[in-house]
Amino acid sequence: MAIIIKKEEQIKLIRESCRRLALVHQELEGFIRPGISTKDIDIFGDQLIRKLEGIPNFLHYHGYPASICVSVNDEVVHGIPNKHRILQEGDIVSLDAGMIYKGYHSDAARTHGVGKISAEARQLIEVTKQSFFEGIKEAKAGNHLYSISNAIAAYVKPYGYGIVRDLVGHGVGTELHEDPQIPNFAQIKKGPRIRPGMTLAVEPMINMGRGDVEWLDDDWTVVTEDGSLSAHYENTILITEDGEPEILTLY
């Protein structure tokens, strides 16, 4: 496992890439409403990234055909935007976006309700988001990496939700996906030591039902196997010298 420890100049550029991506997510949140297509979201997100002098790092990544991953209801991640997929009142939609700014990558995801949503859907979104914050309480120099995984899993377990095991968080910064992998489910091993200068994308993906998933025929869209709703929350964080991680993609 070759974990890249970022130098100060690299951190400055990653931080700026993340700051700009946070602005993209803020604008996307205000754009979500019933009646728009998932392709409308992709077009708007692409425009925002480029307006902020970034390059969409998802576009053409291993052949992915869009700038924003737009995943609706039982779609966990990597939903492909489509002009015929129209958001309806009560849907939930996960937006995963990233950008390259001056050669450095950022990555973040949010799940939003479309109009008025059920209390059950709202709770799923809130628990998924909070599990991220519970996880990064352990993201401190000197701790072991999988303490993040165990904290996420411990928070989610009492709700009876399924934690996706087929997809994990990752290092990010000089590339979109770097070592180490960061599971969201409990681990027996400790994993590598967390060190200052690591930049990590921590991203719980939580299903209302079981954690099992499958890939659709497009080879990208991941859905819950049982058809239950799924939520996704992700930020790029920096491991600091002083103990508390810095969340780089929060505006």
mmCIF file with all atom_site columns, all heavy atoms in Angstrom, residues 105-117:
data_model
loop_
_atom_site.group_PDB
_atom_site.id
_atom_site.type_symbol
_atom_site.label_atom_id
_atom_site.label_alt_id
_atom_site.label_comp_id
_atom_site.label_asym_id
_atom_site.label_entity_id
_atom_site.label_seq_id
_atom_site.pdbx_PDB_ins_code
_atom_site.Cartn_x
_atom_site.Cartn_y
_atom_site.Cartn_z
_atom_site.occupancy
_atom_site.B_iso_or_equiv
_atom_site.pdbx_formal_charge
_atom_site.auth_seq_id
_atom_site.auth_comp_id
_atom_site.auth_asym_id
_atom_site.auth_atom_id
_atom_site.pdbx_PDB_model_num
ATOM 1  N N   . HIS A 1 105 ? -6.944  16.922 -7.204  1.00 0.00 ? 105 HIS A N   1
ATOM 2  C CA  . HIS A 1 105 ? -8.297  16.387 -7.188  1.00 0.00 ? 105 HIS A CA  1
ATOM 3  C C   . HIS A 1 105 ? -9.017  16.659 -5.871  1.00 0.00 ? 105 HIS A C   1
ATOM 4  O O   . HIS A 1 105 ? -8.415  16.660 -4.792  1.00 0.00 ? 105 HIS A O   1
ATOM 5  C CB  . HIS A 1 105 ? -8.265  14.873 -7.389  1.00 0.00 ? 105 HIS A CB  1
ATOM 6  C CG  . HIS A 1 105 ? -7.820  14.454 -8.753  1.00 0.00 ? 105 HIS A CG  1
ATOM 7  N ND1 . HIS A 1 105 ? -8.694  14.021 -9.722  1.00 0.00 ? 105 HIS A ND1 1
ATOM 8  C CD2 . HIS A 1 105 ? -6.580  14.395 -9.312  1.00 0.00 ? 105 HIS A CD2 1
ATOM 9  C CE1 . HIS A 1 105 ? -8.027  13.708 -10.815 1.00 0.00 ? 105 HIS A CE1 1
ATOM 10 N NE2 . HIS A 1 105 ? -6.738  13.929 -10.594 1.00 0.00 ? 105 HIS A NE2 1
ATOM 11 N N   . SER A 1 106 ? -10.343 16.809 -5.991  1.00 0.00 ? 106 SER A N   1
ATOM 12 C CA  . SER A 1 106 ? -11.242 16.847 -4.844  1.00 0.00 ? 106 SER A CA  1
ATOM 13 C C   . SER A 1 106 ? -12.409 15.918 -5.143  1.00 0.00 ? 106 SER A C   1
ATOM 14 O O   . SER A 1 106 ? -12.693 15.604 -6.294  1.00 0.00 ? 106 SER A O   1
ATOM 15 C CB  . SER A 1 106 ? -11.740 18.270 -4.596  1.00 0.00 ? 106 SER A CB  1
ATOM 16 O OG  . SER A 1 106 ? -12.267 18.840 -5.792  1.00 0.00 ? 106 SER A OG  1
ATOM 17 N N   . ASP A 1 107 ? -13.116 15.491 -4.086  1.00 0.00 ? 107 ASP A N   1
ATOM 18 C CA  . ASP A 1 107 ? -14.192 14.517 -4.238  1.00 0.00 ? 107 ASP A CA  1
ATOM 19 C C   . ASP A 1 107 ? -15.153 14.681 -3.078  1.00 0.00 ? 107 ASP A C   1
ATOM 20 O O   . ASP A 1 107 ? -14.724 14.743 -1.911  1.00 0.00 ? 107 ASP A O   1
ATOM 21 C CB  . ASP A 1 107 ? -13.589 13.101 -4.254  1.00 0.00 ? 107 ASP A CB  1
ATOM 22 C CG  . ASP A 1 107 ? -14.559 12.019 -4.700  1.00 0.00 ? 107 ASP A CG  1
ATOM 23 O OD1 . ASP A 1 107 ? -15.688 12.352 -5.102  1.00 0.00 ? 107 ASP A OD1 1
ATOM 24 O OD2 . ASP A 1 107 ? -14.174 10.836 -4.645  1.00 0.00 ? 107 ASP A OD2 1
ATOM 25 N N   . ALA A 1 108 ? -16.454 14.749 -3.364  1.00 0.00 ? 108 ALA A N   1
ATOM 26 C CA  . ALA A 1 108 ? -17.462 14.882 -2.303  1.00 0.00 ? 108 ALA A CA  1
ATOM 27 C C   . ALA A 1 108 ? -18.814 14.429 -2.834  1.00 0.00 ? 108 ALA A C   1
ATOM 28 O O   . ALA A 1 108 ? -19.076 14.496 -4.043  1.00 0.00 ? 108 ALA A O   1
ATOM 29 C CB  . ALA A 1 108 ? -17.551 16.324 -1.802  1.00 0.00 ? 108 ALA A CB  1
ATOM 30 N N   . ALA A 1 109 ? -19.681 13.984 -1.924  1.00 0.00 ? 109 ALA A N   1
ATOM 31 C CA  . ALA A 1 109 ? -21.021 13.530 -2.308  1.00 0.00 ? 109 ALA A CA  1
ATOM 32 C C   . ALA A 1 109 ? -22.024 13.959 -1.250  1.00 0.00 ? 109 ALA A C   1
ATOM 33 O O   . ALA A 1 109 ? -21.696 14.074 -0.060  1.00 0.00 ? 109 ALA A O   1
ATOM 34 C CB  . ALA A 1 109 ? -21.057 12.016 -2.482  1.00 0.00 ? 109 ALA A CB  1
ATOM 35 N N   . ARG A 1 110 ? -23.263 14.168 -1.700  1.00 0.00 ? 110 ARG A N   1
ATOM 36 C CA  . ARG A 1 110 ? -24.375 14.535 -0.830  1.00 0.00 ? 110 ARG A CA  1
ATOM 37 C C   . ARG A 1 110 ? -25.633 13.825 -1.318  1.00 0.00 ? 110 ARG A C   1
ATOM 38 O O   . ARG A 1 110 ? -25.806 13.623 -2.529  1.00 0.00 ? 110 ARG A O   1
ATOM 39 C CB  . ARG A 1 110 ? -24.648 16.051 -0.876  1.00 0.00 ? 110 ARG A CB  1
ATOM 40 C CG  . ARG A 1 110 ? -23.431 16.948 -0.641  1.00 0.00 ? 110 ARG A CG  1
ATOM 41 C CD  . ARG A 1 110 ? -23.111 17.046 0.841   1.00 0.00 ? 110 ARG A CD  1
ATOM 42 N NE  . ARG A 1 110 ? -22.076 18.038 1.077   1.00 0.00 ? 110 ARG A NE  1
ATOM 43 C CZ  . ARG A 1 110 ? -20.769 17.756 1.185   1.00 0.00 ? 110 ARG A CZ  1
ATOM 44 N NH1 . ARG A 1 110 ? -20.362 16.511 1.044   1.00 0.00 ? 110 ARG A NH1 1
ATOM 45 N NH2 . ARG A 1 110 ? -19.887 18.704 1.429   1.00 0.00 ? 110 ARG A NH2 1
ATOM 46 N N   . THR A 1 111 ? -26.548 13.494 -0.393  1.00 0.00 ? 111 THR A N   1
ATOM 47 C CA  . THR A 1 111 ? -27.864 13.004 -0.773  1.00 0.00 ? 111 THR A CA  1
ATOM 48 C C   . THR A 1 111 ? -28.902 14.031 -0.360  1.00 0.00 ? 111 THR A C   1
ATOM 49 O O   . THR A 1 111 ? -28.884 14.522 0.779   1.00 0.00 ? 111 THR A O   1
ATOM 50 C CB  . THR A 1 111 ? -28.168 11.645 -0.118  1.00 0.00 ? 111 THR A CB  1
ATOM 51 O OG1 . THR A 1 111 ? -27.187 10.690 -0.535  1.00 0.00 ? 111 THR A OG1 1
ATOM 52 C CG2 . THR A 1 111 ? -29.550 11.146 -0.522  1.00 0.00 ? 111 THR A CG2 1
ATOM 53 N N   . HIS A 1 112 ? -29.805 14.367 -1.286  1.00 0.00 ? 112 HIS A N   1
ATOM 54 C CA  . HIS A 1 112 ? -30.831 15.385 -1.068  1.00 0.00 ? 112 HIS A CA  1
ATOM 55 C C   . HIS A 1 112 ? -32.221 14.802 -1.252  1.00 0.00 ? 112 HIS A C   1
ATOM 56 O O   . HIS A 1 112 ? -32.428 13.893 -2.074  1.00 0.00 ? 112 HIS A O   1
ATOM 57 C CB  . HIS A 1 112 ? -30.663 16.533 -2.066  1.00 0.00 ? 112 HIS A CB  1
ATOM 58 C CG  . HIS A 1 112 ? -29.309 17.160 -2.049  1.00 0.00 ? 112 HIS A CG  1
ATOM 59 N ND1 . HIS A 1 112 ? -28.854 17.925 -0.998  1.00 0.00 ? 112 HIS A ND1 1
ATOM 60 C CD2 . HIS A 1 112 ? -28.292 17.130 -2.959  1.00 0.00 ? 112 HIS A CD2 1
ATOM 61 C CE1 . HIS A 1 112 ? -27.622 18.347 -1.263  1.00 0.00 ? 112 HIS A CE1 1
ATOM 62 N NE2 . HIS A 1 112 ? -27.257 17.871 -2.438  1.00 0.00 ? 112 HIS A NE2 1
ATOM 63 N N   . GLY A 1 113 ? -33.154 15.339 -0.509  1.00 0.00 ? 113 GLY A N   1
ATOM 64 C CA  . GLY A 1 113 ? -34.551 15.029 -0.756  1.00 0.00 ? 113 GLY A CA  1
ATOM 65 C C   . GLY A 1 113 ? -35.089 15.892 -1.885  1.00 0.00 ? 113 GLY A C   1
ATOM 66 O O   . GLY A 1 113 ? -34.668 17.039 -2.054  1.00 0.00 ? 113 GLY A O   1
ATOM 67 N N   . VAL A 1 114 ? -36.007 15.339 -2.664  1.00 0.00 ? 114 VAL A N   1
ATOM 68 C CA  . VAL A 1 114 ? -36.646 16.078 -3.754  1.00 0.00 ? 114 VAL A CA  1
ATOM 69 C C   . VAL A 1 114 ? -38.037 16.480 -3.273  1.00 0.00 ? 114 VAL A C   1
ATOM 70 O O   . VAL A 1 114 ? -38.913 15.627 -3.109  1.00 0.00 ? 114 VAL A O   1
ATOM 71 C CB  . VAL A 1 114 ? -36.738 15.229 -5.033  1.00 0.00 ? 114 VAL A CB  1
ATOM 72 C CG1 . VAL A 1 114 ? -37.376 16.049 -6.162  1.00 0.00 ? 114 VAL A CG1 1
ATOM 73 C CG2 . VAL A 1 114 ? -35.365 14.720 -5.449  1.00 0.00 ? 114 VAL A CG2 1
ATOM 74 N N   . GLY A 1 115 ? -38.216 17.775 -3.012  1.00 0.00 ? 115 GLY A N   1
ATOM 75 C CA  . GLY A 1 115 ? -39.479 18.221 -2.448  1.00 0.00 ? 115 GLY A CA  1
ATOM 76 C C   . GLY A 1 115 ? -39.668 17.629 -1.057  1.00 0.00 ? 115 GLY A C   1
ATOM 77 O O   . GLY A 1 115 ? -38.728 17.479 -0.276  1.00 0.00 ? 115 GLY A O   1
ATOM 78 N N   . LYS A 1 116 ? -40.902 17.262 -0.732  1.00 0.00 ? 116 LYS A N   1
ATOM 79 C CA  . LYS A 1 116 ? -41.218 16.674 0.565   1.00 0.00 ? 116 LYS A CA  1
ATOM 80 C C   . LYS A 1 116 ? -40.966 15.174 0.506   1.00 0.00 ? 116 LYS A C   1
ATOM 81 O O   . LYS A 1 116 ? -41.493 14.482 -0.362  1.00 0.00 ? 116 LYS A O   1
ATOM 82 C CB  . LYS A 1 116 ? -42.673 16.941 0.935   1.00 0.00 ? 116 LYS A CB  1
ATOM 83 C CG  . LYS A 1 116 ? -43.038 16.463 2.334   1.00 0.00 ? 116 LYS A CG  1
ATOM 84 C CD  . LYS A 1 116 ? -44.472 16.829 2.677   1.00 0.00 ? 116 LYS A CD  1
ATOM 85 C CE  . LYS A 1 116 ? -44.808 16.361 4.104   1.00 0.00 ? 116 LYS A CE  1
ATOM 86 N NZ  . LYS A 1 116 ? -46.208 16.720 4.460   1.00 0.00 ? 116 LYS A NZ  1
ATOM 87 N N   . ILE A 1 117 ? -40.157 14.667 1.429   1.00 0.00 ? 117 ILE A N   1
ATOM 88 C CA  . ILE A 1 117 ? -39.832 13.240 1.438   1.00 0.00 ? 117 ILE A CA  1
ATOM 89 C C   . ILE A 1 117 ? -40.340 12.610 2.738   1.00 0.00 ? 117 ILE A C   1
ATOM 90 O O   . ILE A 1 117 ? -40.691 13.311 3.696   1.00 0.00 ? 117 ILE A O   1
ATOM 91 C CB  . ILE A 1 117 ? -38.320 12.985 1.267   1.00 0.00 ? 117 ILE A CB  1
ATOM 92 C CG1 . ILE A 1 117 ? -37.526 13.566 2.441   1.00 0.00 ? 117 ILE A CG1 1
ATOM 93 C CG2 . ILE A 1 117 ? -37.832 13.570 -0.056  1.00 0.00 ? 117 ILE A CG2 1
ATOM 94 C CD1 . ILE A 1 117 ? -36.044 13.215 2.418   1.00 0.00 ? 117 ILE A CD1 1
#
